[in-house]
Amino acid sequence: QVQLVESGGGSVQAGGSLRLSCAASGVSSRSYCMGWFRQGPGKKREQFGRIYRGFLITLYLESVKGRFTISQDNAKNTIYLQMNNLKTEDTAMYYCAAAQSTDSGCLDYTSWGRGTQVTVSS
């Protein structure tokens, strides 16, 4: 059974930093796709990054490039999201999710954590 547990959220002022963690069990992050998603108030959930099979990291949103960094500790089966220079528009519930991978990409994300709240104030 796959279990994903996010932690590290909180409230910070604009310009501050947070590091989120996603601890995975029942799945090897080296053979799966591990994605980071967020859902802001009144907004749809959006994927902004992923790690493919533990080594290929992609950030999708221009708004987070240069500020967010995704990394992984294979020994701990944990992925991290370092968020710097946070902005009020980063306020959201942040989720990690797992998807089976193929040689060409990722299948649907079917395993989800419960999320961790990030609130950025001005």
Side-chain angles (χ1 to χ4, degrees):
Q1 182 179 357
V2 177
Q3 187 174 15
L4 304 173
V5 180
E6 303 95 336
S7 61
S11 297
V12 296
Q13 289 190 324
S17 298
L18 284 172
R19 189 175 84 149
L20 307 185
S21 300
C22 172
S25 59
V27 60
S28 171
S29 54
R30 284 173 286 186
S31 59
Y32 273 64
C33 295
M34 302 296 294
W36 279 107
F37 298 75
R38 68 183 183 183
Q39 186 168 15
K43 298 180 181 180
K44 292 182 179 180
R45 186 173 60 198
E46 60 182 358
Q47 182 179 8
F48 60 87
R50 77 172 193 195
I51 298 179
Y52 170 75
R53 291 186 174 177
F55 69 94
L56 183 59
I57 297 171
T58 305
L59 286 172
Y60 297 115
L61 293 182
E62 289 297 323
S63 62
V64 306
K65 291 180 180 179
R67 300 189 298 122
F68 289 12
T69 303
I70 297 174
S71 61
Q72 180 165 311
D73 185 331
N74 289 327
K76 295 181 179 179
N77 216 27
T78 299
I79 63 171
Y80 301 96
L81 175 65
Q82 177 67 44
M83 304 185 293
N84 298 325
N85 191 22
L86 282 161
K87 303 178 180 182
T88 55
E89 52 264 41
D90 295 319
T91 294
M93 184 71 80
Y94 284 71
Y95 300 89
C96 65
Q100 292 186 341
S101 67
T102 68
D103 288 343
S104 58
C106 305
L107 301 180
D108 291 341
Y109 288 89
T110 56
S111 299
W112 293 82
R114 292 188 175 184
T116 185
Q117 178 68 38
V118 172
T119 302
V120 185
S121 59
S122 59

